[in-house]
Amino acid sequence: MASLRERVILAVVAMVEAALPYATVRRNIDTPDRPEAGGLVIVRDGDPGEPELSFSPLLYTYNHAVRLEVVAPAATEARSEVLDTMLSAIGLRIELDRTLGGLCDWLEPTAPDTDDINPTHTQPVRWAALDVVAVYVTSNPLI
């Protein structure tokens, strides 16, 4: 069975796929030279950070920042609006289930950092990076 950390990351991937059915969602890939036609979201495993400890019983509480890199589709004049629509869809999906089906205690997105990027031989593409912070508790940081 996968660790709680892994199940939370996989649930974030599934949540993004459900929020953006036409976008390509990949985990931990290199940033491609060309954007995908329906947009692209790269889910990075992120950083669970240092846990808060409780000692009776021993429990580890993590605030795991799972990184999302959201890239709007190429060749669109309204790339800022398209990116905003993609981010809003992710935000609405998070509001539907802030516990990822009971895997975590709380799920909270951070504000996105947005910018234009210039992929090789294409028009500028609108891009955003944000963290989805999952708060979860485990009795063992490895399982």
Side-chain angles (χ1 to χ4, degrees):
M1 176 183 239
S3 68
L4 179 57
R5 177 188 65 258
E6 181 69 11
R7 288 182 287 151
V8 165
I9 295 167
L10 291 173
V12 170
V13 170
M15 178 204 59
V16 173
E17 288 173 335
L20 301 171
Y22 300 108
T24 302
V25 180
R26 297 285 183 258
R27 183 173 169 197
N28 296 325
I29 64 167
D30 290 338
T31 304
D33 289 337
R34 294 177 179 264
E36 301 289 331
L40 171 68
V41 180
I42 302 171
V43 179
R44 307 244 182 240
D45 288 357
D47 183 10
E50 289 296 318
E52 292 181 27
L53 296 175
S54 300
F55 290 104
S56 187
L58 179 60
L59 295 173
Y60 301 83
T61 301
Y62 287 95
N63 291 308
H64 189 148
V66 178
R67 187 77 164 167
L68 301 183
E69 297 171 7
V70 183
V71 182
T76 177
E77 293 298 321
R79 62 185 183 267
S80 292
E81 291 84 1
V82 172
L83 179 64
D84 186 62
T85 300
M86 293 173 74
L87 294 171
S88 294
I90 293 169
L92 290 172
R93 199 65 178 190
I94 289 171
E95 286 186 5
L96 287 175
D97 183 11
R98 288 201 181 260
T99 67
L100 293 174
L103 286 175
C104 62
D105 295 332
W106 190 251
L107 194 66
E108 185 71 33
T110 63
D113 176 25
T114 59
D115 201 359
D116 282 335
I117 55 174
N118 293 309
T120 308
H121 307 294
T122 65
Q123 296 178 3
V125 176
R126 198 73 178 149
W127 168 90
L130 67 136
D131 290 330
V132 176
V133 180
V135 179
Y136 56 87
V137 179
T138 182
S139 61
N140 184 325
L142 299 179
I143 58 173

